[in-house]
Amino acid sequence: MTKVLIVDDERMIQELFTHYISSASDRYRLAGTIKSAANAELYCLNSGVGLILMDICTAGNESGLLFTAKIKKAHPHIKIII
């Protein structure tokens, strides 16, 4: 089962992705939803995340692209969809 982290600052998007993940509970489990790309990097240290759904621009005007590169460098096994 793949643990999924949602990184998006819009509540509606978070809820939509949460619904999709819940509907495929045999394959995916929600690891969490956060608003900040910077926090995503920290979240990956201890959570066992296998997939991240990353927004391009998150809370605090943080770049999802920048933090995707950082996460992939530190955790190359994590798949990220932007």
Side-chain angles (χ1 to χ4, degrees):
M1 182 167 305
T2 302
K3 291 173 76 175
V4 181
L5 175 64
I6 300 168
V7 183
D8 201 302
D9 55 342
E10 293 187 37
R11 188 172 145 245
M12 183 181 209
I13 300 297
Q14 288 181 347
E15 290 174 0
L16 179 66
F17 284 143
T18 298
H19 174 72
Y20 287 146
I21 292 164
S22 297
S23 68
S25 60
D26 57 324
R27 296 178 59 200
Y28 301 103
R29 190 177 83 180
L30 184 64
T33 58
I34 57 177
K35 295 180 179 185
S36 165
N39 289 341
E41 184 179 18
L42 298 172
Y43 198 94
C44 291
L45 293 175
N46 299 315
S47 65
V49 170
L51 173 65
I52 299 173
L53 303 177
M54 177 77 76
D55 191 8
I56 291 175
C57 185
T58 67
N61 212 23
E62 295 169 350
S63 171
L65 298 173
L66 172 69
F67 284 98
T68 291
K70 289 182 177 185
I71 292 167
K72 287 303 284 183
K73 185 174 182 180
H75 308 279
H77 64 282
I78 296 175
K79 292 178 174 61
I80 302 175
I81 299 172
I82 299 176

